[in-house]
Each structure stands twice: as C-alpha cells, then as structure tokens.
Amino acid sequence: MKWKTDDGGWNPYLAGALVGLLAVASAFATTKILKKTSFLGASTTFVRAAGLIEKTVAAGHVTANEYFTKEKVRVDWQFMLVLGILIGALVGSISDGSFKLESVPPTWEKRFGPSIIKRAIGAIVGGAVSMIGARMADGCPSGNGLSGMMQLSVSGFVALAMFFGGGLIVAHFVYGRRPS
Amino acid sequence: MTAEQGLGMITGILFGFLLQKGRVLRFDKQVGAMLLKDMTIFKFMLSAILVGMIGILILSNAKVITLSHKPMNLGAVLIGGGLFGIGWAIMGFCPGTSIGALGEGRWHAVFAILGMLTGAAIYAELYPTIKSTILTWKDFGKIGLPETLGVSPWIVVVALWVIILGFFVWFEKKRL
C-alpha cells in the first residue's frame, strides 16, 4: 500500500481517516459554538438553494410550501459547508496539479461518446431522480451514509445498502455492456 | 458572515480538500465502485466511518454532543435509497461530490447540480403526497443499531471494525 496514488493523490484510507477526525471535530465545534450538534451532510442544502432560487420568481409559493417551510430556506451552516467543499477542492486540485477542465467524464465518453448534450441530459435526469430519492430517505451518502453510520443509526446502514444496491444494478446495466 | 456560516465554511473547505486529495470527487471513481472495479470511494468512506464512530461514541457517552439519528421510515429509506442509487449511477456524483468536482475543474458537474436542484424543487411539490402515502407505511423512528440489537455500542463498533477491515483486506488482495 502506498502513501500516494499514481496521480499524486493521498492514500484513500488516510484521507478518509482524516475526514473521520474532521467529522468528530465538527460535531464538537458545532455543539460548543452553535449550541447544537450538526453532522456533515449536503442534500438539504439543495432544497434550500432550490427554495432561494424559486423565491426570486415566486416568493409566495415558497412561503406557502410545506416542505420549504419544514426545511427552512436560509443560508445556514450546511449551506456554507457545501460552498466550502468547492473551495477546498479547488485549492486541493491546484496544489497538486490535478485541476483539469473536463467536459465529459472518461467512463461516460467510452459508453456514450463525447456529446456534451447527451451528458447534460443524463446528469440532469439522474440528478433529479437522485435528489428526490435523497430527500425521501432524508439524506445522501454524506448525511445518511457517512454521518448516519458514524452514529450507528439503523437508517444509515439501510440507506447506504440501498444507495449502493441501486447504483450497482443500474451502473452494470448502463456502463457494463461493451460498446458495439 | 455569521459565526454559524463561518464555521460551516471552514469545515467545508477542509472536507472538500480531503475529498479532493482522496480522489473521490471523480465521476469515474463513483461509477468505478458501482461497477466493482475501483473501490477508492469505499476505502475513503469506510475509513472515515471507522475513525469517526469511535470519537462520536466517546463524545456522546460523555454527553458532550447529542446524536441525531435520521428516522428509520421503512418506505422512505427503501424507496428513497433505491431511487437515489438509480440516479447516482447515471449522474455519477452524489450531492457533496458534485460541488467538489466542479471545484477541481470537472465543469460538467454543473449539469448534475442543476438536475439535483430540479429534483429538490420537484420533491418540495410532491412532499404532501409522499407524506400522506409512503411516509405513513411504517416508521421505526430515530433508532440506533445498539439499542435495536440490545447490545453495548462498543460491541457494534468492534464488530464493524472487524467486518470493514475484512473488506479492506479483500480490496487490497483483489487490487480494487
């Protein structure tokens, strides 16, 4: 086992273990500073962002919506965390030269070709289905998987199994076949 | 920026940096795991869980932090989890990694982000219907594995370490 991957990344076990420490430190810091324990997560932010965007065209509709009211449309701790991920990834990729402008992912291109339009349709449809699922399950691989399993939540284990089970079946169906 | 927002931002920057260094932000890594060809994202995620669960358990036993389990609502977790998985395979990102992928230049992640924003807006419209149907089927509530099994949380932690280390040995043996 190596400390660095072939492309200059860190050993995934090491980087992952550091995220484990970050998750603990973050649970501690949010409790002490914000008086409420918060765990790492990302998908609720998409609800709040969608609410903020909708508000610019139909404010009344957002205020009247039960789900937006329940999840509170505001720029909170997790919202900034999600924006922070972008900055952290930018800094990380520039620091080791792995920043790369990419218009179509290689695995996708092998199966569906270099069309950006095809990729956009796949990502938008897949993204919409995914987010509906994540909100129904009350969390994504960060909130339900990472944070849920770390707290030994039953829902975390079941959700991660379903995430991966669904992904495995569909990925084999979509990318598994050799291109003709 | 409020203290709440500043703390979120700092945590996010560190999280994003580690996700990037672990090379888990890539479409190919995510789909690679689903095709059982490259287990990088599992090495990363399960390592985080192994380390994190010990710290979280110590802090919650000491009453320093409070746990917040998500509800084990059977229909919601099974159907929602399955839908997430189906979309994840096509999109090739999860919510957190899509934003990170954009940060490392994979600009096509904007389509995934747009799709997820659309999905969130659709869910907000569907919520009353889902609440009165799927969410009413069977809710076990906010439960943890140790209480459910009736054992000490430390037994669960040790068992998970053994099982997950077993997976790691297998990943390395098969060079996944």
Side-chain angles (χ1 to χ4, degrees):
Chain A
M1 208 191 302
K2 291 179 292 188
W3 287 110
K4 289 228 165 180
T5 58
D6 296 336
D7 65 348
W10 295 0
N11 179 304
Y13 297 109
L14 172 69
L18 291 172
V19 165
L21 293 178
L22 175 68
V24 177
S26 167
F28 182 77
T30 51
T31 313
K32 286 292 164 196
I33 300 169
L34 311 176
K35 310 292 171 218
K36 185 182 175 296
T37 312
S38 292
F39 292 91
L40 302 179
S43 67
T44 319
T45 295
F46 283 78
V47 176
R48 299 194 178 115
L52 288 173
I53 295 167
E54 272 186 60
K55 252 188 177 172
T56 60
V57 287
H61 182 73
V62 174
T63 321
N65 182 286
E66 187 184 356
Y67 194 62
F68 284 132
T69 308
K70 174 176 174 281
E71 299 293 351
K72 298 181 190 76
V73 177
R74 55 183 278 263
V75 178
D76 69 333
W77 175 83
Q78 194 201 75
F79 202 106
M80 296 307 281
L81 179 129
V82 171
L83 292 181
I85 291 176
L86 187 134
I87 299 172
L90 178 68
V91 172
S93 62
I94 287 175
S95 73
D96 63 14
S98 59
F99 183 91
K100 188 177 147 225
L101 289 174
E102 181 185 275
S103 49
V104 178
T107 308
W108 176 274
E109 191 171 348
K110 239 183 254 165
R111 180 71 183 83
F112 295 103
S115 160
I116 295 174
I117 307 278
K118 267 193 196 172
R119 174 60 206 149
I121 295 170
I124 290 171
V125 174
V129 172
S130 239
M131 186 52 68
I132 292 170
R135 291 325 307 157
M136 199 184 290
D138 207 11
C140 60
S142 293
N144 240 330
L146 201 67
S147 301
M149 283 177 70
M150 238 177 237
Q151 299 177 65
L152 310 176
S153 304
V154 174
S155 57
F157 290 88
V158 181
L160 192 72
M162 291 306 296
F163 293 165
F164 191 59
L168 186 130
I169 294 167
V170 177
H172 276 82
F173 185 69
V174 176
Y175 311 100
R177 289 174 298 176
R178 295 266 149 251
S180 51
Chain B
M1 208 187 288
T2 63
E4 180 194 353
Q5 292 171 334
L7 185 62
M9 177 59 86
I10 294 167
T11 313
I13 292 174
L14 293 170
F15 190 28
F17 185 82
L18 292 170
L19 288 165
Q20 203 281 328
K21 290 298 178 190
R23 297 293 189 255
V24 295
L25 297 172
R26 313 269 162 87
F27 175 99
D28 301 83
K29 294 284 183 189
Q30 310 226 353
V31 171
M34 292 178 237
L35 293 172
L36 303 173
K37 283 182 180 160
D38 179 344
M39 288 306 190
T40 306
I41 65 166
F42 276 98
K43 295 175 187 176
F44 180 93
M45 186 172 189
L46 294 173
S47 299
I49 291 166
L50 288 186
V51 171
M53 66 185 180
I54 295 176
I56 297 293
L57 183 53
I58 291 171
L59 290 180
S60 72
N61 276 349
K63 307 255 181 283
V64 176
I65 62 167
T66 41
L67 296 184
S68 64
H69 295 302
K70 290 176 185 296
M72 182 54 222
N73 185 309
L74 201 64
V77 176
L78 293 183
I79 297 175
L83 279 178
F84 178 86
I86 292 167
W88 183 29
I90 302 166
M91 167 170 58
F93 293 113
C94 56
T97 52
S98 67
I99 300 282
L102 191 59
E104 59 170 4
R106 276 64 179 176
W107 69 265
H108 55 78
V110 293
F111 301 124
I113 295 166
L114 271 177
M116 286 188 285
L117 288 171
T118 310
I122 295 172
Y123 189 78
E125 300 306 317
L126 294 178
Y127 182 69
T129 315
I130 291 168
K131 192 182 163 198
S132 61
T133 53
I134 296 173
L135 301 188
T136 61
W137 293 349
K138 178 77 197 158
D139 192 356
F140 293 97
K142 300 181 173 185
I143 49 172
L145 200 53
E147 307 92 275
T148 309
L149 298 173
V151 295
S152 152
W154 287 110
I155 292 177
V156 178
V157 167
V158 171
L160 285 171
W161 266 83
V162 172
I163 294 167
I164 291 173
L165 286 180
F167 273 116
F168 288 169
V169 170
W170 180 61
F171 294 162
E172 294 308 316
K173 235 184 187 167
K174 296 278 179 189
R175 298 183 174 279
L176 288 169

